[in-house]
Amino acid sequence: MADGGDEPDEAEELSGRQKAEIAKWFLANAPAGEIQYVAKDVRSILGDDGIYEMAAAEAYPVHNKAHLIALQMPDRSGEVLITAYGELDKNNYFEPRTAQVATVDHVKQVCTNVRPASDEELPSPYIEEFRSTLADELSKYVGETYPKGTCAVYCISGKDAEGPGADFEFVIVISAAKYSPQNFCNGRWQSIWNVDFKDDPQFVEIKGKILVGSHYFEEGNVHLDAKNEFKDSTIFQSPEDCAASITNIICHRETEFMASLEESYVHLPDTTFKDLRRKLPVTRTLFPWNNTLQFSLTRDITRELEIGQ
Amino acid sequence: MEAAMDLMRRISPKESETALSTLLSLLPHHSADLLSQVDLPLQVCMDQHLMKEFILCEYNRDADSYRSPWSNKYFPPLEDGPLPSAQLRKLEIEANEVFTVYRDQYYEGGISSVYIWEDHNESFIACFLIKKDGSRTGHGRRGYLQEGSWDAVHVIEVGPEEEGTAHYCLTSTVMLSLTTENKSSGTFNLSGSIRRQMSHDLSVAEGHLCNMGKMIEEMEGKLRNSLDQVYFGKTREMVCTLRPPPPDGIQLRLPEN
């Protein structure tokens, strides 16, 4: 089929580009851990591997970054998170803990190679001290809190500052996923915290957002999406004190968010859900299907009364 | 077709309209199958004669018009639109009246419509529809929901009467979405759809409407319960797997300084 078939007599038939756009939409909207299954379906519906591969090449990187997926690095040095903050180019991602650059295959969702980061890619020793102290403190917290969690701390501005007197900014990414397709259930947690170190006044501004998604689909399809945003601040101190207070703030906010999520679930059966449909009728007894004549009769009387008025 | 149905159970129900329309454009030769197997949130239309809203579905559609269960007329007007037989229309009128009361008692608001039409061999099909906007700007009595919708479709096939009994086959779908929102807890949304079937052979002594009504009431109760207990419960379990709650008695680490 000709590309971009815009001829009016072909209005019913989609162009290759349109099909690819549809395929991309499905891939981009795949729930956590399900893109491979969505891809299989899309491929079979399209019946055209060329179009599918074009769509997959564009959609997978977007999906992988949005879902902050963690990939095992081939040298067993741990996992690299696929994030916009560590992206050097489409297939290369900076891993700050090991100071490596990981090359990834987006569609296969694997890391194929790692190399040590170059000096230009790394922060200055002054910044790195703040960053690595915070990263260490944070991985203790993530390790204790998320059974499948991964975190990374990136310096996204001011990484070359040699000493006090400069502003710089970190982004903390926490990502946890649990895929259980045999139980028809997948979920993910992600939180992203922007930490802005201001030299004058000595102040650290923290902005965060948490996103939680969970999908259960055994003979049905139910999605949970929960999110919230936060703002907080602390004093610009030594690397150790900053690491401790920032980690404490994050721990506190995330625990609070989790508690409010639980509360939303607790309120579901008796309050929230009731506004959609009650468990029992307002009469608190099952509907009198055996005796519905009363409703028709009452209506007739009401009608007659209305006419009589 | 199998792949299309698998996609529909993966994509969030909030996106089901977009998903279905794109599938229809990719698989035009499967459009009849897709339209009958995929349920979408219900649409409503105003009966211009009685100024009363009714629900649209494939069962009251002819060309681009839909028949109102209230006035038995098509909107936009359609000449020679098919109508149910006088006998079934009588049952349809009664079903609409009674179902309105049922809907009010369980839903405290919302819109309902019932359509009945002839099937082959002296059997008939009835379709009971309910649409409820439970948001605080809609019919949410308690005002807990920022956004809340419940759409129920019950299609019931009633076989011919034999020795005082008839075979009833009910297929029910519920689609819902609820969102709560506030500063401290953020946005919390649950959306979902489930479909179940149920069949019974019942005595027609009490009438078809009584039998159909009881089956629908039982089914709606079951669907609501499994959404609440099973489906919502599973998504909650998953969140607790991702971030297990701290054991009781352990204090929050409070910010120092």
Side-chain angles (χ1 to χ4, degrees):
Chain A
M1 201 184 85
D3 210 27
D6 292 312
E7 293 86 340
D9 53 338
E10 279 188 17
E12 294 295 313
E13 184 68 31
L14 296 174
S15 71
R17 191 65 235 170
Q18 284 171 311
K19 285 186 182 173
E21 285 302 320
I22 293 175
K24 270 166 62 187
W25 183 85
F26 276 107
L27 292 168
N29 281 284
E34 294 176 43
I35 191 166
Q36 307 285 5
Y37 301 92
V38 168
K40 199 171 152 239
D41 293 334
V42 166
R43 189 175 200 138
S44 106
I45 290 171
L46 286 174
D48 183 327
D49 287 354
I51 293 177
Y52 165 75
E53 272 151 28
M54 176 164 79
E58 288 180 47
Y60 266 87
V62 177
H63 177 93
N64 292 343
K65 277 186 278 176
H67 286 251
L68 308 171
I69 65 163
L71 300 178
Q72 205 67 45
M73 291 187 283
D75 63 347
R76 296 174 181 242
S77 57
E79 289 177 315
V80 54
L81 280 177
I82 306 306
T83 75
Y85 312 105
E87 185 177 30
L88 301 176
D89 61 50
K90 203 175 165 189
N91 298 312
N92 288 293
Y93 292 83
F94 179 55
E95 202 297 296
R97 187 182 52 86
T98 54
Q100 297 189 110
V101 172
T103 306
V104 303
D105 181 325
H106 277 290
V107 176
K108 289 188 180 143
Q109 296 187 314
V110 289
C111 173
T112 53
N113 191 36
V114 284
R115 64 159 171 88
S118 66
D119 284 349
E120 302 84 76
E121 287 161 343
L122 293 171
S124 70
Y126 168 70
I127 298 292
E128 180 57 19
E129 197 188 349
F130 276 95
R131 200 208 59 79
S132 62
T133 315
L134 175 57
D136 288 347
E137 187 72 21
L138 206 71
S139 27
K140 265 187 263 163
Y141 157 68
V142 171
E144 287 164 10
T145 317
Y146 300 90
K148 300 250 177 194
T150 311
C151 67
V153 182
Y154 302 92
C155 179
I156 58 160
S157 88
K159 78 176 174 66
D160 297 323
E162 297 290 349
D167 296 345
F168 53 95
E169 190 176 358
F170 291 166
V171 170
I172 297 167
V173 174
I174 300 173
S175 175
K178 164 92 179 159
Y179 305 145
S180 188
Q182 69 282 9
N183 297 318
F184 306 97
C185 206
N186 296 306
R188 66 167 173 138
W189 169 293
Q190 66 175 56
S191 40
I192 298 177
W193 300 87
N194 278 67
V195 186
D196 202 355
F197 292 79
K198 300 231 196 271
D199 182 67
D200 185 26
Q202 296 261 299
F203 189 66
V204 181
E205 217 176 72
I206 304 171
K207 274 191 234 158
K209 51 181 185 235
I210 301 179
L211 197 76
V212 180
S214 161
H215 183 209
Y216 180 64
F217 54 102
E218 182 170 21
E219 292 182 49
N221 180 5
V222 173
H223 285 252
L224 158 78
D225 292 291
K227 58 177 179 218
N228 204 3
E229 296 189 6
F230 308 88
K231 258 187 192 171
D232 219 319
S233 62
T234 182
I235 306 163
F236 196 154
Q237 313 156 80
S238 69
E240 290 74 24
D241 290 339
C242 279
S245 70
I246 293 166
T247 305
N248 265 326
I249 287 172
I250 292 176
C251 167
H252 185 70
R253 294 296 193 167
E254 294 189 345
T255 308
E256 225 174 42
F257 175 77
M258 192 61 195
S260 69
L261 192 67
E262 276 293 295
E263 205 175 320
S264 300
Y265 271 115
V266 170
H267 286 155
L268 265 176
D270 295 320
T271 56
T272 332
F273 208 2
K274 210 172 179 179
D275 264 355
L276 288 184
R277 185 188 184 273
R278 303 170 57 94
K279 255 184 228 165
L280 277 175
V282 280
T283 56
R284 295 182 186 276
T285 56
L286 288 178
F287 192 75
W289 290 102
N290 297 320
N291 187 20
T292 53
L293 208 58
Q294 53 171 326
F295 303 124
S296 316
L297 280 181
T298 347
R299 284 184 160 239
D300 287 343
I301 295 164
T302 329
R303 242 179 247 149
E304 272 164 33
L305 285 175
E306 276 169 4
I307 294 163
Q309 271 169 7
Chain B
M1 197 54 211
E2 209 177 295
M5 292 312 290
D6 186 61
L7 281 179
M8 291 308 299
R9 71 168 185 161
R10 294 192 184 276
I11 297 295
S12 168
K14 277 178 286 180
E15 305 285 356
S16 58
E17 276 168 272
T18 318
L20 179 64
S21 70
T22 54
L23 284 175
L24 285 171
S25 64
L26 280 179
L27 302 167
H29 51 290
H30 284 300
S31 59
D33 282 346
L34 281 168
L35 286 170
S36 69
Q37 288 184 44
V38 176
D39 292 290
L40 289 181
L42 300 166
Q43 306 291 321
V44 296
C45 175
M46 183 62 89
D47 180 328
Q48 301 288 350
H49 286 275
L50 298 168
M51 295 314 282
K52 204 170 166 183
E53 283 180 308
F54 65 99
I55 302 176
L56 314 184
C57 68
E58 276 303 295
Y59 307 117
N60 64 335
R61 184 181 70 84
D62 194 55
D64 294 325
S65 294
Y66 293 86
R67 183 172 63 88
S68 159
W70 315 119
S71 64
N72 207 20
K73 293 203 157 50
Y74 278 85
F75 298 92
L78 183 72
E79 273 177 51
D80 308 325
L83 298 173
S85 69
Q87 195 196 351
L88 284 184
R89 174 62 189 155
K90 198 172 151 244
L91 181 61
E92 189 181 78
I93 292 172
E94 192 191 351
N96 274 290
E97 282 185 0
V98 174
F99 206 53
T100 299
V101 183
Y102 168 87
R103 191 247 308 140
D104 247 351
Q105 292 194 357
Y106 271 102
Y107 292 85
E108 304 172 275
I111 302 170
S112 58
S113 296
V114 182
Y115 303 102
I116 300 181
W117 68 99
E118 288 81 9
D119 202 13
H120 47 80
N121 298 335
E122 290 174 50
S123 50
F124 66 90
I125 299 177
C127 177
F128 292 73
L129 304 159
I130 292 179
K131 185 175 184 67
K132 165 86 189 274
D133 174 0
S135 70
R136 68 177 67 125
T137 50
H139 286 163
R141 281 287 169 86
R142 295 157 196 88
Y144 291 122
L145 295 173
Q146 198 71 25
E147 172 267 337
S149 63
W150 170 290
D151 294 279
V153 178
H154 305 282
V155 178
I156 185 156
E157 292 167 49
V158 183
E161 196 180 317
E162 273 170 38
E163 292 169 9
T165 66
H167 182 72
Y168 297 83
C169 178
L170 169 66
T171 305
S172 298
T173 307
V174 166
M175 293 155 273
L176 68 83
S177 171
L178 56 92
T179 307
T180 55
E181 212 172 277
N182 67 58
K183 258 217 175 104
S184 65
S185 64
T187 314
F188 174 86
N189 171 267
L190 279 166
S191 60
S193 76
I194 52 173
R195 178 189 271 211
R196 293 288 184 272
Q197 274 196 345
M198 174 198 275
S199 288
H200 284 316
D201 288 308
L202 299 169
S203 152
V204 295
E206 305 243 38
H208 287 308
L209 183 57
C210 174
N211 290 339
M212 294 191 291
K214 279 182 181 167
M215 280 177 76
I216 289 170
E217 183 172 22
E218 185 188 339
M219 179 69 104
E220 280 200 337
K222 278 186 178 166
L223 291 177
R224 187 195 189 278
N225 197 45
S226 61
L227 279 166
D228 192 8
Q229 302 296 315
V230 183
Y231 285 82
F232 295 171
K234 288 281 184 183
T235 62
R236 178 184 186 179
E237 247 173 58
M238 174 50 84
V239 177
C240 292
T241 315
L242 291 169
R243 195 184 196 281
D248 285 340
I250 291 186
Q251 286 281 308
L252 275 181
R253 286 205 286 170
L254 293 170
E256 287 161 16
N257 72 61

